[in-house]
Amino acid sequence: MSELFTTGEIAKLCGVTVRTVQYYDTRGILTPSELSDGGRRLYSEADLRKMKMICFLRSLDLPIDSIGKLLREENAREVLRLLLEQQEQVLTAELSDRQQKLERLRELQKWLVGMNFLSVDSIGDIAYLMQNRKKRHRMLMRMLIAGLISEIFEWSGLVLGIVTGNWMPFIFSIPFTVITTVFLVRHYYLHSVYLCPACHRLFRPHFREFLFTAHTPNTRKLTCTECGHHGFCVETYGLKPTKGEENHVEN
């Protein structure tokens, strides 16, 4: 005669609570093989194996309804294959989402380093800058590629002139390089806005100030067109600020 297990015993063997075993019973996916004279649920060794399988599938976050469907199917292998494929897609999407959140969290930690004061406005500023960081990076990469192409064209013309004595390609490359440079600078100006640390507003400076002011890779020393603050303002991606954008940066 095969060994029988009580609800408590099967729960202990599977590493779950008694309430979990009882819940699976109420859902109809693990009914006891027998009832004692006193009405206690008794589970067989087959029930124990079934419970361990259920626990394993639950550890993969498979829904209870899907597990119940699997246990009722005759072609369990094919159903399990489909369920696992679906769950793989779900977990992959969740993993990607969590990875993005982790990257944003780490970036926020970097922004907070060295900040002596934190306000609601400054948190909103950081959130806005983080949201536009990738757009700014893509813009700078496009500009870099265009600039490299222009440089290659110019140096190729110079080398060709030195080697063959034909300077026409180099002569034509000069206006091309000048036009490309002007276009890139103008493009950079029109797709960059600045966040004032004093009034937390987005603004675009006058072109002359933008061109000749001191700057770092991420900031420029500008005069805010909204509050008149003069100092380093954080650069971010953006077209010409709209009326809504000229207000405080909000979510």
Side-chain angles (χ1 to χ4, degrees), residues 94-196:
E94 290 179 357
L95 181 62
S96 176
D97 180 63
R98 287 182 177 274
Q99 183 63 37
Q100 292 176 11
K101 289 179 180 178
L102 180 61
E103 290 176 0
R104 290 197 295 269
L105 185 147
R106 287 173 174 169
E107 187 172 357
L108 177 58
Q109 289 175 323
K110 292 179 181 179
W111 279 99
L112 293 177
V113 174
M115 291 186 67
N116 298 321
F117 176 73
L118 188 67
S119 66
V120 174
D121 284 336
S122 59
I123 294 174
D125 293 347
I126 293 172
Y128 183 86
L129 294 172
M130 287 172 61
Q131 289 170 0
N132 288 275
R133 179 179 60 86
K134 289 185 178 180
K135 293 180 181 179
R136 179 174 180 269
H137 178 71
R138 286 196 294 266
M139 178 191 71
L140 294 177
M141 288 302 297
R142 290 195 298 267
M143 291 178 58
L144 177 62
I145 292 171
L148 287 174
I149 292 174
S150 176
E151 284 292 315
I152 291 172
F153 183 40
E154 183 177 8
W155 279 100
S156 297
L158 178 61
V159 171
L160 187 64
I162 294 173
V163 173
T164 66
N166 180 10
W167 293 96
M168 292 304 296
F170 177 68
I171 294 173
F172 283 121
S173 72
I174 294 176
F176 174 78
T177 301
V178 172
I179 293 172
T180 301
T181 302
V182 171
F183 171 80
L184 291 177
V185 171
R186 186 68 177 172
H187 180 80
Y188 187 18
Y189 172 72
L190 293 176
H191 289 77
S192 297
V193 290
Y194 295 85
L195 186 61
C196 175

Side-chain angles (χ1 to χ4, degrees), residues 200-235:
H200 306 281
R201 294 173 183 265
L202 293 172
F203 71 95
R204 174 168 291 119
H206 297 296
F207 182 74
R208 182 180 180 84
E209 184 182 20
F210 163 84
L211 199 60
F212 296 107
T213 190
H215 62 89
T216 70
N218 297 305
T219 64
R220 283 183 185 272
K221 195 171 185 179
L222 303 168
T223 301
C224 176
T225 58
E226 297 297 322
C227 69
H229 169 79
H230 183 72
F232 281 98
C233 301
V234 182
E235 181 179 283

